[in-house]
Structure formats: structure tokens, C-alpha cells
Amino acid sequence: MNKNQIDSTQLATLVFTVLSGEKLLQVPSLLAKDVGHDSWIVVLCLFVADAICMCLCLWAVKINLKHRLTFGTILQKTVTRVGKFVVLALFFALFVCRILTLCVSSYKMFATTFDISTDWTLFVALVAIVCYVAICLGFNAIARTSQLLFPLMFLSVLTLLVFPATQVPISQLLPIGEAGVENIAKSAFSRSFWFGDYVVVYFLMEHVQPKNNKLFAPVLTTFAVGALLVVAVNVIFVCLFGSLAQNSAIAISKISLFSVADSSNGRWDWLTLSVWLMSVLVKVVVFFFCAYRCVQEVLGLHFSKTSLPVVLAIALPLLVPLFVSSEDVVAKFVTWCTIPFAIVLYVLPFAMPLLATIANKKEANP
Amino acid sequence: MNSLKRLGVFLLVATLLVLVSVGFKGKDIHDRAIIVGLGIDLVDDQIEVTAEVISPGNGSEQVGTYSKTVSATGKTLAQAVQNTSQLTGKEASLGQCVLLVFGEQLVAQQNLGQLLEFFVKSDSFKETATVCCCKGTAKQLFESVEALSGSVSLSLSAMMQSQAKEIAIPTTNLLSFARSQRELLQTGFLNYVETVSTNNQSSNNQSKPQVYFVYNKVAVFAKHQFVCLLSQSQTVGFSLLKNNVSGNMFVVQHNGNDVALRSDQKDLSVTFKNGVAHFSVTLKLQLAQTDNFGQNNSFVVKNNKQIPQELLDQVQLEAQALANDFWQMQTQYNFDIVGLHELLRSKFGTNSNLCCLPMQQIAVEFSISAQEK
Amino acid sequence: MSTILFWCIGIVDNFFAFFLQMLATWANFALKRLANCHFCKQENLQVKVYFAQTFGNTSNMTQSILQQLLQHYNNCDDVKIRTVCCGQQFSVVLLETMCNDQKVCDFVLHPLLMQQNAKTLQDVEQQLALSVGTKTPCNFFEVLSDFSNGYTLVFDQEGNGCVAVDTRIALGRAVIEPPTSMVMRGPREGFVEDAKNNVTLLRKRLKTPNFKVVNLCVGKFTNTLVSVCYLENVADKSVVDKVILQVQSVCIDGLLDSSYLARYLDGNKTLLFRRVGSTEKPDVAVGKMLEGRVAIVVDGSPMVLTVPYLYIEDLQSPGDYYENSSMTTINRIFRFVSVLMSVLLPSLYVCLQMYNYQIIPFKFLVTILNATNTIPFSPFTEMLLVLVIFDILREANLRMPSAVGISLSLVGAIVLGDAAVKAGLIGAPAVMIGALSGIGLFTMPDNTLVLSLLRLAITFVGGIAGIVGVLVCTTVITLYLASLQNYKTPFLAPFTPDIPQDRQDGVAKTATEKMKTRPRSIPNTNKTRRG
């Protein structure tokens, strides 16, 4: 069996893991800074956009089932070699930025909140080891891991949210849309970098195997569940913290504090949170895998074994925060790249079914 | 060869891990001064902090109290906390802190904004920690011994978190207080803690005075500055208009005798119609008996009617008077601790007018009724 | 020059050995297709191949078979020859140490001596009909094989033809309850060292012609009998073929126990987790065969191997199937929790003390502070010390004679535990957590060693990197486990990949009468179990 092959149920759980992986950490406070208590509307809008794009990508996957072409091949057959290079280079930059931001926010969670003094290099080394092992073992192992962890992650977030949800004055969300449509749209555009996690599907085009001929239903279901959880976290967060929301870096850690009944009980919630934090690790691994695939496709190489130099090259930018503030660097980079990123995230999917059809036809009649 | 290679890689990784971990100092719990409560005072224009630190006993059995206090001063709160580390020789760790107490002088003279920022911006400090102010200095409070349990911080925080809601005392925590000082009218409250000495003897700490804590008054703050102190009856009035607080006790006359009625439950709704805020409170009363304390949930068996209507009417009048008394203070000092501005915000949205809308300009109606539970 | 020569010889030798191996494989397949059940027919070409490799070309036409046999067994004092005259002279040759005297007497010597007009070997064979196993070996290789297995050979005067009579000595213990898997309720029979007995125990429970046994021989010197047992129309043919091929491809000097074979059956060698099941109970083996697995019985080992193997099987105990399903579910949850606890608890104890003290409830923190106030070690060192001591005690306890074992555990518990705490060397919570974790491991007795190793590793990484380390370790282990697959069966099935039908016997077990289908995670040809 191909070690990267995954079925649609595994893809569905993976979508959940990747979707919720990071958005419960830094994103709620960033959005609260932009639009206050309307952050959940931004999240909802972006999720709707993601859902549409994901459906289009899945459609492309379905078309591609005949010849199982890779994303790179589809691009090469349709938008020429240069187009493929540009798109994949953009994706590579996107993934590296995402890995960096993911690591920084999870480091904040692990090291600043949990531990007082964790070494960044050690943290990055550990993450890189996990990624290397995962790439060696193949994407199937990653997908199976996320499938195994899915119920645990879902339940852990749910348990963390149930008790705080009962203490939330929901009227804090009123009046809905107070920030104004323009602000909400602006925020949605500028924060789109943090969303668009469905892009993983591009790099699994040839590996997805629909289970019982079902592809859309399971993926969309888990997507909806994940999206609802993220929206719920945003709602609870802004309701509980109000004007303080923008000061609180790690939303889920702040919310979970309210799930402990007695303050002398210690922060038992962090143990539950740790279970969910595995999804962040899985997400880093998935993006690492995608970045690795980008390198393979751009260079046109097919390594018989996992290439350690490539993995190290992807991990190298993770040392940037040792020298400069990673948040500044990423923020600047993202500002420059907002439009190109938005194009690959939200325009390319509309062309994907067409591209897949053309490429498959060309493959059939070379 | 293959296995040798594997072993080599494993050893390399293990060595690297250990080498990297040299710069990776995990703090053993014994290297930390774990602070459970922090008192903050103003002494000669300097901040004095009094920390209640866990102090382990010797061996597996605990002898004596498990906490000791340490005080240090500094120009800022951060400096003062750091100075406590110098005294204890351990890193001051605030992750387990459950109580913050501001001394009387500090409250009267200092803006609390900066002090609160220190805690609110910390990642590991619990926002659910209880915050209060006290009569006299916080140092005195921490240096006394609570008569029923050993630790001041734990007992006071536990009392205020669990008990207060059943004896009609509104309480607050760090998050609510910090929010109240930044949002809308920027007014909030803290419980005002007084100590009552007792002649009980402590077997552990005979040198320290034994006290009980009384926290049935609240101090009002606006923009991090002290505004006024509500009297006990005004606090009761406030509790009537506050959600999640119950346990008001009313003593009324019946056939020349005093009868105690306890309200374990109440229905409170606040609406805003035609420019008038309408508070509708329905108190659910029962005769105060030995076994009905703390029955403030909805799933209690109903009893036969025992309270005559005239008693209910007396309660209604008394409650109305208490609420009016409290409301007068609100309008007089222009503070809003019942969340009227929040109600208006959810209705009309945030705007600068609302944020500085004085309480005098808001017309209010109370309709307080009493019925048997 | 000589090096090159040796090298060339080596290549030729290897090529020849490979050719013979291929020949043996091909021949065995052909034979297997001819007749599925070979137990009574010792038609195994592989034996000949090994004999050929061991003794060289033996088709020496100038010597009789008897002479060749005796030549091979020179300097063996347990070879006995006796000449019997019963019409004609016959030589009775036997290995004294491998034959049962009584059987030789009753089934060979006595019938022969009673006969006076036997002329040919056919007459002798007819005469020895009393014995169940009488046969005529076709060639020298069979003669050698039968002789070494304890058959008594009756040669004619020329010594070129012989009749082999089964007089094998029945050495071995009786069928008793296996000490490694005791059950409260259920059969108490256990496998023994004799493969024939073991197959009998299986056949006793599977009285169907669909129960097939393929006998193979493994081991250059030991010639160990390996019986591959499966249920036709239930087990997947490709899995059976693959198992047979794997067994045949084993090139080993001696196969002393089934665990030797297990390493070869494990396709991609795993570092930690075994992917071949083993059981000492025939009812368990039959239960697994009924689900489509293949059982491999190795002579000389009371452990019968089963493939394909799922990780969830570790969680299942033989007694589970004889108890109420809800009780079983609860027990399995306890097992699962205790294993998780034993692997993660020590590392969490270290992490929480060293890095995440906020997580510990206040009063528990005070207790820990009090208990560890006088301890000279850091929590990290303290915990590693406790775990290593526990592992040493466990290992010592296993190797000690049972009488000493009890006193050793007492010494371990009292001296090392209580005294160390009282002396202030190790804190009481660490001892308690070490002991709790140690006991928890034994709820999954087959994997104790691996889990104990993992526990040490996670504690180590957790001690260095805090909760991040623990999470990283857990993720890597999960990734590794999820990547394993053997005999078309994912190791973590039915949880990942998710196979909803198989959850009936996952952690939660449905009532036996409701388990109507065979597990889908294991390849089988008949999905319906009952109904």
C-alpha cells in the first residue's frame, strides 16, 4: 500500500485537526483586537469561504481520481512549468510562515504559559524530530494518528468549553455586527492568512481514496463541527474577557481557567488542554509534510528515502525568532504577501476543477 | 552496520538533547516561593507587598501551618515582588495565587490601574483569583491567623467564592474587576474585608492574633480610583439587584414577635423600555429554619404555605427601601455596578455618549415583590 | 588469489544453496496443493535439502542405506542394532534415547519374534500393523529423518530397504493450566511443548475438515516441526500463503522456541512492538482462527503464534469472552486506563514538579512539598531511580526461584520502599507513583517490557522538556504505531483506520450473540460469523 494514501474518513478527521489546531490559541485575541465582540462573525465568514473552496478542491480530487495526478503535474500540464513554480513557491512560503507562526503560538502556550523557561531551540528540535519521523512514516501514519486522536481532541475541547459556556453572559455579543461590515470584511481579509487550512487537500490530490464512494459528506461534517467549535471559542472568549480579550495571548488557556470550579484546585484544565495541544503538533507535521512536498514538486525530485537535508532546510527558518521578533517578521511578510496568499487560498480553488479536468484529459490523450 | 548506524543516531540525538537541556532550567517546586495570597500596601510612597508563601514542614508530616508571610517594599509592584524573592532566596511564583488584597491606604491614595495590569497581562496568573480591599493594611490581615483554618488566603478566597453568594454578598474576581475599570462607565467594586478578633487559642501559632473575616461591605471604584464605601445595608440593597446572589434575610414582625424570612431564590429581570430601566425582582421566601440554609436551587420540594401575606408585604417594603438606598448612592456618586450601562450597550451599541452617560440621567423603576417559595 | 578463490566458492555455494531453497519452496507449494493435510505424511523436501546441506551428497551406490546410516551415526553410543531372525534375518536399528522401550518391544520385537515366515519387507510391514505409524521411507533422506525422530527401522538383509515404525518416546509434560494466562472462568487447558499434542488440542476444538494443517520443518540442525494451522474458507488464502512462504524462507541453525519464528513472521522488523500474537491457550488460538487468523505451532514451544495481530489484542484477556459483556467492557477500560496511567504518570509527576507546578492542586502540592523537602535528588533523578529500581526488582523476581521470589518482593517492598522513604532518600509520592505505574503495567502482561522502556524514555524526555516532551513522545509513538501494518492488517485497527463493524470487540465489547460478523480488520473470506 502507498504509505501516503488516505481514505475520506481520515481526510475528514485531518481537516478537523488542522482546522482547529491553531485557531484556539492566538487568533481569537487578534480578531478581538480588530473587531471586538464581532470576532465570531469574521470567523464564520472565513469558514464559509473555506468551506466553498474546500468543496471545489474536493471536486477536483474527484475528477482527478481517474489518473491520480499530483498537484504539481496538474499545474504543469495546465499553467506551464513557470506557473507551477510560482504557485508552489507561494505555497512553500505560506507553509513556512504558517509553521513558524504555529510554533511561536504553541511555544507561547507550552513555554510561557505552562513552563516559565523553555528553550526555543529545544522546542524547535523536538518539533523537527516529530516532523522528520512523520514524513519518514508517510502521510498515512499522520492521517491515522489524527483519526485516532480526533475523538480525544474533540472531547477535550468540549469539556473545556462546557463549564465556561454556562457562565457566559451571551448578551455581550449584542448588538450583532457593531463593528460594521467594512471593518469585518477588512479584518477577514487581513486575517485570512490564519485560515484556509483546506490547502492540505491540494497536496493529497493523488492520495485520497473515497471510502464507500463518499468524499464530501464526511469531510464537510467534520469541517462544520470544527468550525462550530472555533466559533464557540471565539464567542466565549469575547464574552468572558470583553475589553481584556485583546491582551490575552492564548485564548483557550484563558477560557479553560473557568472550567476549574475551585481556584485552589490547580489548573487541571491544562492537562485536558495538553491532549488538545497534540492537534497543534499534528498540524505542524501536516504543514511540514506539505512544505516538503512543495520542495519535491518544485525541484522535480522523488526521494527514495526521506531527505534529511530538505527537512532541516524547512526547519531552519524556525530559528529566526532567536534573532528577531518572529511576530514582526511574519506580520510584515504576511502584509506584503496578503494578496498573493489570498489568490492561492481563495482564487485558485475556483480554477481547480477546470485545471484537474484539463490535466486529466491531457493525461488520457497525450 | 545498520544497527550500529541506528545506535549512532540515537546516541547523537540523546547527547544533543542533553546538551541543549543544559540551558533549560526546570525549576523544582522547592526552588520556588509559591505564593498563595498577595497583600499590597502603600507605605511611605512605596509599594509594600506581603506574600503568603507555602512553607513545607519537615518530613512527610506537616507540623504547624503550611504558610509563612514575607514582606518587601519597592517603587513598583514588580520591584516589590522581586524583593520578596531576595528575602526568600527563591523565585516568586504567582501561578497558584488565589487572593489579592489591597490595603486601605493604597486604595485611598493610589490608582490601581498599573497594579492590575501587572496581573492581567501575566499569562499564568489566574484571572479567577479573588480580589478585595481591607481595613488597615494588607500586611496586618495576612499576619493574623484565621480562626477556623490555617491559611488566610485560602480561607478568605474560599469563603468569598463559595459562601458569599448564599449570604447575600456580591463578590468579584480579578477579571471582572479589571474589566469593570476599563469598560463603559468604568466603575466596579471590591469587597471590603474587616477582621474581628476572637479569644480562641491556636495550637500552632500562639503569637499571632486569631481573627474572623467580615466582608459584608463593598468599596466602589471608578477608573481605578476609590469612590466610596457602601454601608452594610446598601450592600444588601446591591445584592438584591445583582444576579447570582441570594440568601437575603429579612426580619419582620408577626403578632408582636420577630420572624426571620430567608430568600434563597429570586427572579431578576432588567428591561429598558421607553427610556426607563425597569428592575423587576421577585423574592422567593421561606421561614428561616435550621435546615434550609443554602437551598438556593430550583429543585427543592415545595412546602405548604406558612407565611401570611402581611409578612410578605413587610419584606417587600423593606427590600424596596434597601434597593432605593443603594440606588441613591449610585446616582449620588455616579457609578454603575449593577450593569445598567451594559444593558444599554447591548441594546444601542457602544458609543461615546453611553460611556459617559451619568446615572442621574437614567430613569429607573423598581418593582420588588415577595412570594413564598 | 586464494581470497578470490574462496570468494568464488562462496558465491557458487550461495547460489547452490539458493537454488536448493527455491526448489524446496516450489516443491512444498506443489505438495501443499496436492494434499492440504500432511500431518501423517512426512513428505517434506526441505528436510532433504537440509540433510543434503548437512551431510553432502549421500547417494553413494556402493554402500547400503543401513551402512550409510550407521556411518552418519558413528560415535553415537545410543544407536542400537539388533538382528532378528524370523524366516529371514532383519536388522532392527533404533536410537535408544529417542524411542520408547515398551513400544519397541510391543510393536517391533515381539511381533517379529512371533513370526517365522517373513520373507520380505512387505511381510514385515503387515506383521507390524499393530503399530499406528508404520511406513516405508522412500529414500535415504526420509530414513535419516525418521531415524532421528525416534522411529525404529527394520532393514532387510541387504540393508537397502526398511520399514519405519513409530516408537517415538512421548516426552513432555501433561496438559496443565498455563501459568502466564490464568482465567477465572473458562477452559484451563494450555499448550505443551509437543507440537503434535498442540495440534491435537486445536483439532479437538475444531472438528471440521476445514481445519487445515501444513507441516514444515525449520532449523538446519534442529529440524523443528512447524505446523501452520488455519481454517479453510475463513482465513484469507493470501495471508496463509504469505505465512507459509515466510516460514519456509527462515534460514536458521536452530528453532528453539516460537519466539524465534515470530521475528521472521514480522514483515518489517519493528523496534519495539511485536506484531505477532502468541498464546498458551488452545481456546484463544481457536477463537483467533475462527476470526480468520493463522496459528503457527512450533515443536518445543508452548506458545502458539497467531497472525495477523492487532494491538487491541493486548487489551483483550482470554477471560473476557466468558464473562458478561458489560463487565468485560468495564474491565477493558480499567486495563486501558491503567496502562495509560503507568506509562504517563511518572513523566507527568516529574513535569508537574519541575515545570508546571500550577497544575497541581494546592493541597496536593503542599503534601508533595512536605514529602520531598528532605530529598537530596531532583524529582527527575528521584523518579528515574524509582523506575530503574522497580525494573531491577521485577527482573530479579522473574529469575528467582518462586520460593525466594516471595521473600525478594518483600525485601524489595519493605527495605527499598519504606526504608528509602524513612531515610529521606526517595519521597513517598515517588515510590507510590512508581509502584502504581509498575502494577498498572501488568494489566497488559505481554507488553510489560516495551511499556516499561517507553515509560523510562517518556520520563526522561519529560524531565528535560516538560509537558512538550511528553506530548512529543506520545505523538511520535502514536505515529509509529499508526504506521505499522502486517499481513494486510493495520496494527491499530479497528480505531485507525476506523472500522465501525469491528468496534464490537474493541474496548467496548458487545454481547456474544450480537457479534454476527467476523472482524473486517483481519483479512478473511467469510464475513459472517453467525446468524
Side-chain angles (χ1 to χ4, degrees):
Chain A
M1 197 187 91
N2 180 354
K3 70 174 186 176
N4 289 331
Q5 188 180 316
I6 65 168
D7 65 35
S8 44
T9 338
Q10 285 165 348
L11 181 67
T13 52
L14 197 73
V15 162
F16 174 85
T17 315
V18 171
L19 175 110
S20 65
E22 167 196 41
K23 296 188 188 66
L24 313 186
L25 296 175
Q26 254 185 314
V27 180
S29 86
L30 287 175
L31 293 174
K33 206 183 245 174
D34 289 352
V35 287
H37 66 77
D38 285 328
S39 62
W40 64 278
I41 303 177
V42 178
V43 175
L44 208 62
C45 293
L46 282 165
F47 274 137
V48 170
D50 278 1
I52 295 167
C53 294
M54 194 177 67
C55 285
L56 292 164
C57 275
L58 290 178
W59 187 15
V61 168
K62 224 163 188 180
I63 294 167
N64 194 37
L65 280 178
K66 265 187 214 160
H67 293 101
R68 295 192 175 275
L69 302 174
T70 63
F71 179 51
T73 321
I74 293 176
L75 289 178
Q76 193 166 340
K77 280 183 187 289
T78 49
V79 291
T80 71
R81 195 179 285 270
V82 180
K84 169 191 154 185
F85 180 81
V86 171
V87 172
L88 287 174
L90 264 173
F91 269 121
F92 181 74
L94 177 74
F95 286 129
V96 170
C97 281
R98 293 297 296 274
I99 294 169
L100 189 57
T101 48
L102 259 172
C103 284
V104 169
S105 51
S106 51
Y107 172 76
K108 265 191 187 167
M109 175 77 222
F110 282 128
T112 320
T113 312
F114 276 15
D115 305 342
I116 308 300
S117 51
T118 304
D119 199 313
W120 170 257
T121 44
L122 179 70
F123 178 73
V124 167
L126 286 172
V127 169
I129 289 172
V130 181
C131 294
Y132 180 69
V133 170
I135 295 172
C136 284
L137 295 174
F139 201 82
N140 187 261
I142 303 172
R144 282 183 183 176
T145 305
S146 78
Q147 191 176 25
L148 191 71
L149 297 177
F150 167 70
L152 289 177
M153 291 177 205
F154 178 70
L155 284 177
S156 60
V157 180
L158 210 62
T159 30
L160 290 179
L161 292 187
V162 167
F163 200 59
T166 58
Q167 302 172 33
V168 164
I170 207 79
S171 63
Q172 297 252 329
L173 290 183
L174 298 170
I176 292 169
E178 194 187 355
V181 179
E182 195 187 337
N183 278 337
I184 290 172
K186 215 187 247 176
S187 170
F189 182 68
S190 62
R191 302 295 177 196
S192 61
F193 166 75
W194 298 88
F195 287 75
D197 296 306
Y198 69 88
V199 286
V200 177
V201 180
Y202 285 128
F203 296 89
L204 297 172
M205 282 230 139
E206 72 277 25
H207 299 307
V208 179
Q209 183 68 49
K211 196 178 175 184
N212 304 331
N213 226 357
K214 281 179 186 166
L215 182 62
F216 286 86
V219 178
L220 283 177
T221 313
T222 51
F223 184 90
V225 172
L228 274 178
L229 267 188
V230 177
V231 170
V233 167
N234 273 280
V235 166
I236 296 171
F237 183 60
V238 289
C239 286
L240 276 177
F241 285 83
S243 59
L244 292 176
Q246 46 189 291
N247 292 345
S248 318
I250 309 292
I252 188 73
S253 153
K254 294 278 179 186
I255 292 173
S256 68
L257 173 63
F258 290 85
S259 62
V260 183
D262 188 351
S263 59
S264 65
N265 269 354
R267 301 239 18 204
W268 277 108
D269 54 301
W270 279 354
L271 283 183
T272 320
L273 196 55
S274 304
V275 177
W276 172 78
L277 276 170
M278 285 171 92
S279 74
V280 182
L281 270 180
V282 174
K283 185 167 180 175
V284 175
V285 165
V286 170
F287 283 169
F288 224 94
F289 175 86
C290 292
Y292 185 82
R293 285 294 309 276
C294 279
V295 174
Q296 271 191 331
E297 298 261 8
V298 167
L299 301 179
L301 293 174
H302 285 284
F303 308 109
S304 54
K305 278 186 177 178
T306 309
S307 162
L308 189 61
V310 173
V311 174
L312 288 178
I314 301 169
L316 206 61
L318 293 180
L319 295 180
V320 167
L322 279 181
F323 309 106
V324 280
S325 160
S326 63
E327 281 171 33
D328 284 353
V329 170
V330 172
K332 271 184 193 159
F333 191 73
V334 169
T335 323
W336 296 335
C337 299
T338 308
I339 293 172
F341 280 168
I343 289 173
V344 288
L345 284 177
Y346 296 108
V347 179
L348 186 65
F350 286 89
M352 263 330 275
L354 187 68
L355 297 185
T357 317
I358 296 169
N360 273 277
K361 272 192 181 161
K362 277 190 182 171
E363 182 72 15
N365 314 305
Chain B
M1 193 60 207
N2 198 21
S3 60
L4 267 180
K5 217 169 159 184
R6 270 186 190 174
L7 192 70
V9 170
F10 175 74
L11 284 178
L12 192 75
V13 169
T15 321
L16 273 175
L17 219 61
V18 172
L19 280 179
V20 173
S21 70
V22 172
F24 192 74
K25 300 175 205 100
K27 285 256 181 223
D28 188 350
I29 38 173
H30 290 286
D31 301 333
R32 294 177 189 276
I34 297 168
I35 297 171
V36 272
L38 202 65
I40 307 166
D41 290 306
L42 193 67
V43 178
D44 302 332
D45 287 340
Q46 286 217 319
I47 303 283
E48 182 185 43
V49 295
T50 308
E52 188 177 0
V53 183
I54 303 177
S55 146
N58 218 355
S60 56
E61 279 182 33
Q62 179 71 50
V63 181
T65 50
Y66 46 70
S67 65
K68 286 175 184 158
T69 53
V70 55
S71 299
T73 51
K75 280 186 179 172
T76 62
L77 179 59
Q79 196 185 22
V81 171
Q82 195 186 326
N83 288 345
T84 61
S85 305
Q86 280 182 14
L87 295 176
T88 55
K90 295 175 176 184
E91 186 186 299
S93 301
L94 285 158
Q96 287 271 14
C97 187
V98 292
L99 181 73
L100 279 182
V101 184
F102 298 117
E104 197 171 12
Q105 202 181 352
L106 177 98
V107 163
Q109 296 177 11
Q110 179 97 10
N111 186 312
L112 298 183
Q114 256 196 337
L115 303 179
L116 287 178
E117 286 284 290
F118 179 74
F119 298 108
V120 169
K121 284 198 172 167
S122 156
D123 274 309
S124 63
F125 195 86
K126 293 177 186 174
E127 271 88 358
T128 48
T130 311
V131 195
C132 60
C133 55
C134 69
K135 191 180 180 185
T137 63
K139 191 176 180 179
Q140 284 167 350
L141 185 91
F142 276 105
E143 285 182 349
S144 57
V145 175
E146 212 277 326
L148 295 177
S149 104
S151 160
V152 171
S153 312
L154 284 187
S155 51
L156 191 53
S157 141
M159 271 194 256
M160 289 170 71
Q161 281 189 354
S162 60
Q163 199 64 19
K165 282 171 188 166
E166 293 179 0
I167 50 172
I169 301 172
T171 52
T172 188
N173 59 20
L174 178 65
L175 178 67
S176 325
F177 184 64
R179 276 190 68 181
S180 71
Q181 298 302 299
R182 291 167 63 134
E183 291 172 13
L184 301 167
L185 201 57
Q186 301 179 351
T187 51
F189 71 95
L190 289 181
N191 291 75
Y192 183 75
V193 182
E194 293 167 283
T195 51
V196 177
S197 36
T198 158
N199 291 327
N200 289 341
Q201 284 295 312
S202 162
S203 56
N204 299 328
N205 250 312
Q206 295 190 348
S207 57
K208 287 187 175 181
Q210 289 253 318
V211 293
Y212 285 113
F213 298 118
V214 179
Y215 48 98
N216 54 11
K217 292 177 190 164
V218 297
V220 178
F221 291 81
K223 296 174 187 165
H224 300 111
Q225 299 275 12
F226 175 71
V227 175
C228 66
L229 182 68
L230 297 188
S231 69
Q232 196 182 338
S233 65
Q234 285 159 348
T235 309
V236 175
F238 170 37
S239 74
L240 279 171
L241 304 178
K242 181 96 178 139
N243 248 331
N244 298 328
V245 182
S246 59
N248 296 71
M249 184 81 86
F250 298 92
V251 180
V252 286
Q253 289 278 320
H254 182 52
N255 299 335
N257 294 326
D258 285 337
V259 178
L261 298 177
R262 193 178 143 77
S263 147
D264 288 316
Q265 268 182 285
K266 70 174 173 206
D267 291 338
L268 171 71
S269 69
V270 191
T271 48
F272 193 82
K273 268 182 195 167
N274 308 324
V276 180
H278 190 85
F279 281 81
S280 160
V281 185
T282 311
L283 298 170
K284 298 190 173 169
L285 299 156
Q286 56 182 331
L287 284 172
Q289 286 167 352
T290 49
D291 51 355
N292 64 6
F293 184 78
Q295 291 184 349
N296 58 347
N297 64 52
S298 317
F299 304 102
V300 178
V301 183
K302 288 212 182 300
N303 295 323
N304 290 335
K305 300 275 181 205
Q306 289 175 312
I307 310 172
Q309 187 56 40
E310 57 168 308
L311 298 193
L312 295 175
D313 293 343
Q314 284 182 49
V315 169
Q316 192 177 331
L317 282 175
E318 194 179 329
Q320 188 84 38
L322 287 167
N324 282 334
D325 191 15
F326 163 68
W327 202 263
Q328 263 184 1
M329 281 295 274
Q330 276 221 131
T331 46
Q332 186 185 341
Y333 287 97
N334 189 30
F335 63 86
D336 175 16
I337 54 177
V338 289
L340 206 54
H341 279 72
E342 176 54 35
L343 178 77
L344 296 175
R345 188 203 61 77
S346 63
K347 223 169 168 62
F348 307 111
T350 319
N351 56 50
S352 50
N353 290 339
L354 177 70
C355 290
C356 50
L357 181 70
M359 289 301 283
Q360 291 91 334
Q361 288 185 16
I362 306 175
V364 184
E365 254 182 24
F366 295 111
S367 77
I368 298 180
S369 61
Q371 64 181 56
E372 190 166 359
K373 194 176 173 181
Chain C
M1 268 310 281
S2 60
T3 320
I4 296 171
L5 193 67
F6 275 122
W7 187 61
C8 291
I9 291 170
I11 289 179
V12 172
D13 190 34
N14 279 342
F15 180 75
F16 187 63
F18 176 72
F19 175 71
L20 285 173
Q21 193 79 29
M22 290 300 293
L23 189 73
T25 314
W26 174 81
N28 233 315
F29 257 92
L31 283 169
K32 186 174 56 60
R33 290 199 187 282
L34 279 173
N36 271 321
C37 196
H38 300 244
F39 197 76
C40 300
K41 297 179 184 177
Q42 291 281 336
E43 282 287 336
N44 197 326
L45 274 181
Q46 203 171 15
V47 186
K48 296 170 198 171
V49 174
Y50 283 129
F51 272 106
Q53 284 169 349
T54 318
F55 302 112
N57 192 358
T58 49
S59 55
N60 192 337
M61 299 306 287
T62 55
Q63 284 182 313
S64 68
I65 291 177
L66 178 60
Q67 279 170 330
Q68 286 179 46
L69 181 75
L70 293 176
Q71 198 179 336
H72 280 304
Y73 277 89
N74 65 346
N75 290 338
C76 294
D77 290 344
D78 55 345
V79 178
K80 299 287 169 201
I81 310 174
R82 191 166 166 183
T83 312
V84 180
C85 192
C86 48
Q88 207 184 348
Q89 272 203 339
F90 291 97
S91 303
V92 177
V93 189
L94 59 111
L95 264 175
E96 194 184 18
T97 43
M98 291 295 288
C99 298
N100 185 331
D101 289 348
Q102 192 65 42
K103 282 187 186 171
V104 174
C105 202
D106 290 352
F107 300 140
V108 184
L109 294 178
H110 191 252
L112 281 179
L113 288 173
M114 295 299 286
Q115 183 68 25
Q116 289 306 321
N117 52 1
K119 295 272 186 288
T120 60
L121 279 173
Q122 279 79 13
D123 296 340
V124 173
E125 197 174 354
Q126 268 182 358
Q127 200 55 44
L128 302 181
L130 268 177
S131 167
V132 179
T134 308
K135 58 182 181 175
T136 316
C138 309
N139 51 40
F140 182 66
F141 303 113
E142 270 186 40
V143 171
L144 267 181
S145 165
D146 290 345
F147 186 66
S148 58
N149 274 321
Y151 278 74
T152 299
L153 306 178
V154 181
F155 280 92
D156 58 10
Q157 215 164 10
E158 289 80 35
N160 277 329
C162 71
V163 173
V165 187
D166 187 357
T167 53
R168 284 178 292 178
I169 199 160
L171 268 184
R173 57 192 172 94
V175 175
I176 54 160
E177 183 170 19
T180 56
S181 53
M182 304 260 191
V183 284
M184 290 282 282
R185 198 172 295 171
R188 300 196 188 280
E189 277 182 332
F191 286 122
V192 288
E193 280 73 12
D194 184 33
K196 191 179 163 190
N197 279 354
N198 290 348
V199 177
T200 310
L201 286 171
L202 293 178
R203 196 176 271 288
K204 207 171 97 180
R205 289 169 171 79
L206 289 166
K207 298 180 187 89
T208 161
N210 282 344
F211 174 67
K212 305 291 178 193
V213 181
V214 178
N215 282 338
L216 304 165
C217 258
V218 178
K220 211 169 176 179
F221 291 108
T222 54
N223 263 319
T224 313
L225 174 70
V226 175
S227 306
V228 177
C229 311
Y230 63 96
L231 276 177
E232 204 175 44
N233 299 333
V234 175
D236 188 76
K237 199 82 189 92
S238 60
V239 172
V240 176
D241 289 347
K242 195 178 170 193
V243 170
I244 291 171
L245 204 68
Q246 297 266 35
V247 175
Q248 281 169 339
S249 65
V250 175
C251 185
I252 190 171
D253 272 4
L255 186 71
L256 302 183
D257 186 66
S258 56
S259 50
Y260 280 47
L261 196 61
R263 298 301 298 160
Y264 288 89
L265 289 172
D266 195 346
N268 312 320
K269 305 283 176 287
T270 50
L271 282 170
L272 294 169
F273 295 91
R274 65 202 181 92
R275 289 187 294 167
V276 177
S278 62
T279 177
E280 256 193 294
K281 290 178 71 68
D283 52 319
V284 175
V286 169
K288 291 188 185 216
M289 282 166 74
L290 283 170
E291 288 184 342
R293 290 186 184 84
V294 178
I296 300 121
V297 181
V298 175
D299 196 28
S301 170
M303 287 286 178
V304 167
L305 305 177
T306 53
V307 283
Y309 181 70
L310 303 173
Y311 192 61
I312 191 79
E313 286 177 50
D314 269 339
L315 205 65
Q316 297 160 345
S317 147
D320 286 358
Y321 299 90
Y322 311 120
E323 293 281 353
N324 184 328
S325 58
S326 44
M327 284 296 115
T328 301
T329 305
I330 292 168
N331 283 341
R332 281 184 187 173
I333 291 170
F334 280 142
R335 265 174 237 153
F336 185 66
V337 170
S338 67
V339 167
L340 264 188
M341 199 176 67
S342 26
V343 175
L344 295 178
L345 206 58
S347 53
L348 283 179
Y349 176 73
V350 173
C351 289
L352 298 195
Q353 272 203 64
M354 290 180 75
Y355 304 104
N356 314 114
Y357 73 100
Q358 302 103 311
I359 296 178
I360 311 172
F362 178 75
K363 285 187 178 160
F364 185 40
L365 186 68
V366 173
T367 313
I368 294 177
L369 272 168
N370 284 333
T372 56
N373 198 23
T374 54
I375 309 300
F377 305 114
S378 74
F380 182 34
T381 324
E382 186 192 5
M383 200 65 218
L384 284 180
L385 211 64
V386 170
L387 292 182
V388 170
I389 289 173
F390 186 85
D391 279 351
I392 291 171
L393 270 178
R394 181 179 47 75
E395 190 60 29
N397 219 356
L398 275 178
R399 289 169 166 268
M400 282 282 163
S402 58
V404 190
I406 297 166
S407 52
L408 187 83
S409 22
L410 282 174
V411 168
I414 296 168
V415 174
L416 290 178
D418 197 40
V421 171
K422 279 194 176 152
L425 290 172
I426 297 171
V431 173
M432 196 203 80
I433 283 176
L436 198 66
S437 152
I439 291 166
L441 281 189
F442 286 98
T443 51
M444 232 188 225
D446 287 347
N447 266 335
T448 312
L449 281 175
V450 175
L451 293 176
S452 130
L453 197 70
L454 284 180
R455 181 178 62 170
L456 266 177
I458 298 177
T459 311
F460 184 75
V461 180
I464 290 173
I467 279 194
V468 195
V470 177
L471 289 188
V472 163
C473 284
T474 320
T475 313
V476 169
I477 293 168
T478 319
L479 277 167
Y480 175 66
L481 284 174
S483 71
L484 297 180
Q485 180 147 341
N486 207 6
Y487 298 99
K488 295 189 198 167
T489 310
F491 195 49
L492 288 186
F495 302 112
T496 175
D498 181 34
I499 301 164
Q501 296 89 345
D502 286 9
R503 281 193 230 128
Q504 58 185 356
D505 194 18
V507 174
K509 183 180 169 293
T510 40
T512 312
E513 67 274 13
K514 286 182 185 163
M515 287 164 63
K516 291 189 175 170
T517 53
R518 285 181 221 287
R520 276 163 203 251
S521 21
I522 299 158
N524 52 48
T525 47
N526 184 354
K527 297 284 174 219
T528 317
R529 204 199 282 260
R530 61 179 70 89

